[in-house]
Amino acid sequence: MKAGCRVKICGITNIEDAKLSAGEGADYIGVVIEVSYSPRSQTVKSAEPIFANAPVPAVALVHEMQPDRLTELVTCLKPFAVQFLSQDGAAMAGQLKKIAPGMEIWQSLFLPASGDSSSAFDCGTMLKQVEQCKEAGVDAVVLDTAAVINGVVRFGGTGTTGRWDQAAQVVADSTLPAFLAGGIKPENVREAVESVRPYGIDLCSGVELHTGIKSLAKLRSLMEEVQKAGGINKC
Ligand SMILES: O=C(O)c1ccccc1NCC(=O)[C@H](O)[C@H](O)COP(=O)(O)O
């Protein structure tokens, strides 16, 4: 098993970027599927070539997708995992694992943005959520940051860092592998990894040339910085 911090490159919109990310060392790629507020969103149909040819495990991200559509997605794309941005991963896990045994279920959980000291956060409550997810068959959680952009709440892909002190508390006692997401980029990834010690990191806008297109130079620089991060991450 890999010892260091896993890396998931998300918001992939084309197979070239999937291959670029994997070639630079990504462990997973993520594709946002039919999420209205994402500028990187793909349809099940347009995502087919990415999932069919992905060189590393590919994760399908969904938000409040109807169960019938979810079944179609799983049948067509055969993702390594479905990641729920809305809080329905635990409720859907049992049903999805019946139709796709072996497929993982990931659940995004949202922390306040850094600098936001007014939003209530209770580590114990989040750890209970993690435990409930685990009992329901969820395999991993992604600690991300939600933010209001142009008047719309976006659950991910915001480029906004979260409260890493709070993320570190959750990671330390999480009973599931926990990824850290939100505003991670080459310039801050070392601090993110060394201060939170997540199982993995998950990022999107920090390695883009422009929205929806990845940058080779930024991916390379990110991976170099991840390699430099010292210490042992949570397995
Ligand atoms: O990437 C998007 O456009 C996106 C939009 C809506 C929900 C999720 C989205 N991306 C999912 C991810 O897992 C991102 O990697 C994660 O949210 C972090 O994004 P970023 O802050 O841009 O690194």
Side-chain angles (χ1 to χ4, degrees):
M1 185 197 276
K2 190 180 175 190
C5 184
R6 285 83 180 160
V7 178
K8 170 169 163 251
I9 301 296
C10 206
I12 294 288
T13 62
N14 60 81
I15 185 61
E16 290 74 23
D17 280 356
K19 289 181 178 167
L20 194 70
S21 302
E24 290 306 307
D27 299 286
Y28 308 91
I29 57 149
V31 184
V32 180
I33 312 284
E34 297 173 8
V35 173
S36 60
Y37 54 84
S38 170
R40 304 171 184 91
S41 186
Q42 302 296 300
T43 61
V44 170
K45 182 96 192 120
S46 69
E48 267 180 8
I50 308 177
F51 281 83
N53 299 295
V56 290
V59 180
L61 282 82
V62 298
H63 185 267
E64 292 179 354
M65 187 174 270
Q66 292 303 307
D68 286 355
R69 188 63 178 151
L70 210 39
T71 302
E72 282 170 18
L73 179 157
V74 167
T75 312
C76 288
L77 301 182
K78 298 183 180 50
F80 168 77
V82 174
Q83 180 180 337
F84 287 83
L85 299 162
S86 39
Q87 299 305 301
D88 43 359
M92 294 304 300
Q95 191 183 323
L96 284 181
K97 287 196 171 188
K98 272 189 205 141
I99 58 170
M103 184 183 75
E104 294 201 355
I105 305 292
W106 294 8
Q107 176 65 60
S108 292
L109 300 173
F110 294 93
L111 294 159
S114 56
D116 174 0
S117 51
S118 61
S119 296
F121 169 80
D122 180 51
C123 181
T125 304
M126 191 165 273
L127 286 169
K128 269 190 202 133
Q129 271 179 285
V130 174
E131 201 48 42
Q132 284 162 0
C133 283
K134 187 178 181 183
E135 282 165 15
V138 171
D139 299 281
V141 291
V142 179
L143 308 178
D144 203 347
T145 315
V148 180
I149 294 178
N150 297 331
V152 179
V153 185
R154 276 178 45 176
F155 295 95
T158 62
T160 308
T161 51
R163 292 276 306 270
W164 288 346
D165 54 334
Q166 295 174 339
Q169 286 177 46
V170 176
V171 166
D173 289 328
S174 175
T175 50
L176 283 174
F179 286 77
L180 178 69
I184 300 174
K185 51 190 174 184
E187 296 85 338
N188 66 8
V189 68
R190 225 175 130 179
E191 187 193 341
V193 172
E194 290 179 351
S195 61
V196 178
R197 292 276 153 229
Y199 173 84
I201 51 165
D202 174 334
L203 68 155
C204 175
S205 50
V207 285
E208 285 184 330
L209 205 52
H210 54 84
T211 304
I213 302 297
K214 299 303 181 212
S215 152
L216 171 62
K218 289 183 186 176
L219 280 166
R220 192 158 287 175
S221 161
L222 178 98
M223 295 302 179
E224 284 169 4
E225 291 302 310
V226 171
Q227 292 305 319
K228 286 185 207 159
I232 309 287
N233 281 56
K234 190 107 187 282
C235 291

